[in-house]
Amino acid sequence: MTTPWKRPVVSAAVAALTATALAAGAAACSSSPSESASSAASKAISAASSAVASVGSEATGAIASATASVQKKLDEIKGSVNAADDVALADQATKDGYATVKVTARNTADSTKSFAVQVNYRDASGNLLDAVVATVSDVPAGQSKDVTAQSNRKLSGEVKTEVGTAVRY
């Protein structure tokens, strides 16, 4: 499974190794007796490791940002009730690289209600790749309504969807 952020990590790792090799070579050719080749290489490896860690933390940050955004949207809904049993997801599909899924909300209340559904996108290992909130507005009493949820970013490989939280209001 290749996630959108693994490509930059690989690129950063290749860049880090290249920087290490160049630094070691430059140090070996340097006329400066105060810095050995191993010292220069160590500095390059340290800098490259920081670059790789930065790219990895950006990916983690993107997921944290998506989940924080989802949680904020859900927290803004007042007077809601748990509706996980009234929500279903169809099979996940891909459109232009984005993972999509049909969300069906069934209104079991006696008046028109709306639903907010957190859809989680996970890889084959269960790692969270993305999360969105799908809003199903104005579902008449006793009826169902569908909307399509789409990931915020392009996802590749095997992607599984699940309902994280579903509320009716």
Side-chain angles (χ1 to χ4, degrees):
M1 161 78 209
T2 303
T3 58
W5 55 84
K6 285 192 179 173
R7 286 187 200 106
V9 171
V10 171
S11 298
V14 169
L17 292 174
T18 302
T20 302
L22 290 174
C29 296
S30 173
S31 60
S32 171
S34 63
E35 185 171 33
S36 69
S38 63
S39 174
S42 292
K43 287 180 182 177
I45 289 170
S46 177
S49 295
S50 294
V52 170
S54 174
V55 171
S57 66
E58 286 176 23
T60 302
I63 297 301
S65 176
T67 55
S69 175
V70 165
Q71 191 58 52
K72 181 180 178 194
K73 287 178 185 178
L74 292 172
D75 288 345
E76 291 173 352
I77 299 170
K78 303 299 178 207
S80 65
V81 297
N82 182 345
D85 292 340
D86 297 329
V87 174
L89 302 180
D91 290 336
Q92 181 268 327
T94 302
K95 181 180 180 185
D96 299 326
Y98 293 88
T100 63
V101 64
K102 182 174 81 172
V103 178
T104 301
R106 180 177 44 109
N107 185 2
T108 58
D110 56 2
S111 63
T112 298
K113 298 291 181 180
S114 295
F115 294 77
V117 181
Q118 176 184 346
V119 178
N120 294 329
Y121 298 88
R122 296 189 181 274
D123 65 16
S125 298
N127 299 309
L128 184 63
L129 302 174
D130 201 0
V132 299
V133 172
T135 303
V136 188
S137 301
D138 303 322
V139 183
Q143 295 186 26
S144 296
K145 191 172 181 182
D146 301 328
V147 297
T148 299
Q150 178 176 297
S151 62
N152 293 307
R153 59 188 105 329
K154 291 183 178 184
L155 303 175
S156 60
E158 184 181 346
V159 177
K160 298 176 182 181
T161 56
E162 68 181 14
V163 174
T165 300
V167 295
R168 182 181 71 217
Y169 57 99

